Amino acid sequence: MKKDVIPELARRLWHAGRSGAAADPAAADQLDDLGMAYAVENATRDLALAAGDRVIGYKIGLTSQSARDAFGAKEPAAGHLLAGRLLQGGQSLVTAGLFEPKAEMEVAFILGEALPGPGVTAQDVHRATAAVAPAFEIVDSRWRGGARTLPMLVADNTNAARAVLGPRVKPPADLSKITATLLAGSRTVPGSAAAVMGDPARAVAWLAGHLLRNGSRLEAGDIILSGTLCAPTPISAGDHLVADLGELGRVVVDVS
C-alpha cells in the first residue's frame, strides 16, 4: 500500500466536495485495492472532523446484486454520514456544488443500543433499533465522470453527498415487505425494501460485521442509511421529491 498517496487522494476528494471542481480520475490509478480505498475514505472523514463536522452514522451502498455486479463487488460498501450533510426539516436540497446528483429512497435506522458483534444478525438489529424513518440519500461522485472502479467508489465515501430523514416511527416486524414510490418531478419510480439484501436489517447486520473487522462498531444513537429501495434517480433544480414508504411514512424535499 502506498501510504504516502492516501493523504493526497483524500485532499483531492475533500477539495472537490468543497470547491465544485471534480477530482481528476487519473489520480485514482494510484488506488491499489479496497484496503487503500477505505484508508482514503477515513482520511477524508478526518479532514471533515478537523473542519468542525462530526460523524453521526453510516451509509451502506451496493446492497443490490445488480449494483455489486456493476462494480465487481463481492459485498456491499460502507461510508460515513456527516452531520453537515444531513438536511434539516423544510430545508431545500441545493444542487450548487454537486456534480450529477441522484436520489435514492432508503430506510434509515436509528439505533437505541450498540451492536458490537461478532455475528450480528437481522434479529439483533431489530432488537437494537429505537426507530426507523423514510429517507432520501443524495449520491454524487466527486471524481470527474464518476467512479469507474470499486476502489474509486469506496475512496469517495461510497458517493455519499446529502441525506434527508422523514419522521421517525416504530419499526415494523418485517421490513422486507415495505414497498415504496419515488416521485421526482413528473417521474414515478417504484422501489422495494426487498431490494436491500432481501431485508434492510440484513444490510445493517453486514455493516456491524464490516465495522468490527476494521476496529469499530455501531453505537447507540447512530443513524444508518441502509441502502436504496429504487434505482438511483437523477435530479435537478426545480424538482419536488416525495418518497412514500407506505407504513413507514413519507419524506419530502424541494431541489433548488
Side-chain angles (χ1 to χ4, degrees):
M1 182 185 295
K2 309 169 200 173
K3 291 185 178 180
D4 55 327
V5 172
I6 292 169
E8 174 59 26
L9 290 177
R11 282 192 295 270
R12 285 174 182 251
L13 290 167
W14 170 249
H15 179 73
R18 291 169 66 87
S19 70
D24 185 351
D29 293 342
Q30 302 173 90
L31 284 169
D32 290 336
D33 53 31
L34 276 182
M36 185 176 183
Y38 275 113
V40 172
E41 179 191 286
N42 291 339
T44 62
R45 175 202 62 203
D46 293 344
L47 288 171
L49 296 179
D53 214 331
R54 59 191 177 90
V55 175
I56 57 173
Y58 301 90
K59 64 148 293 179
I60 311 170
L62 306 184
T63 49
S64 71
Q65 188 61 54
S66 60
R68 290 193 293 278
D69 289 346
F71 281 94
K74 296 179 181 178
E75 62 178 0
H80 49 269
L81 179 61
L82 295 169
R85 305 291 175 86
L86 182 65
L87 303 186
Q88 302 305 310
Q91 188 177 0
S92 294
L93 168 64
V94 178
T95 56
L98 300 178
F99 301 101
E100 296 182 1
K102 298 177 177 67
E104 299 181 345
M105 293 186 291
E106 309 217 2
V107 177
F109 288 73
I110 300 90
L111 294 184
E113 303 174 15
L115 282 169
V120 171
T121 66
Q123 290 73 27
D124 295 329
V125 172
H126 276 286
R127 286 192 290 269
T129 298
V132 294
F136 280 119
E137 184 183 10
I138 307 304
V139 293
D140 191 34
S141 178
R142 267 70 61 173
W143 296 111
R144 188 171 64 247
R148 301 189 309 263
T149 67
L150 181 58
M152 287 177 75
L153 178 74
V154 168
D156 191 22
N157 197 29
T158 318
N159 279 1
R162 305 286 187 273
V164 187
L165 266 61
R168 300 180 181 192
V169 299
K170 182 179 179 179
D174 188 354
L175 284 165
S176 70
K177 297 187 182 302
I178 297 294
T179 57
T181 303
L182 167 63
L183 301 176
S186 61
R187 294 157 291 163
T188 301
V189 183
S192 169
V196 184
M197 298 182 71
D199 180 343
R202 291 180 190 160
V204 178
W206 171 86
L207 176 64
H210 168 81
L211 293 175
L212 183 65
R213 292 191 297 272
N214 290 277
S216 188
R217 72 176 195 175
L218 290 171
E219 302 286 358
D222 280 345
I223 299 170
I224 301 132
L225 299 176
S226 57
T228 185
L229 280 64
C230 67
T233 302
I235 58 174
S236 57
D239 282 344
H240 177 67
L241 306 181
V242 180
D244 187 338
L245 274 67
E247 64 183 287
L248 298 191
R250 303 188 342 154
V251 57
V252 177
V253 68
D254 288 313
V255 185
S256 63

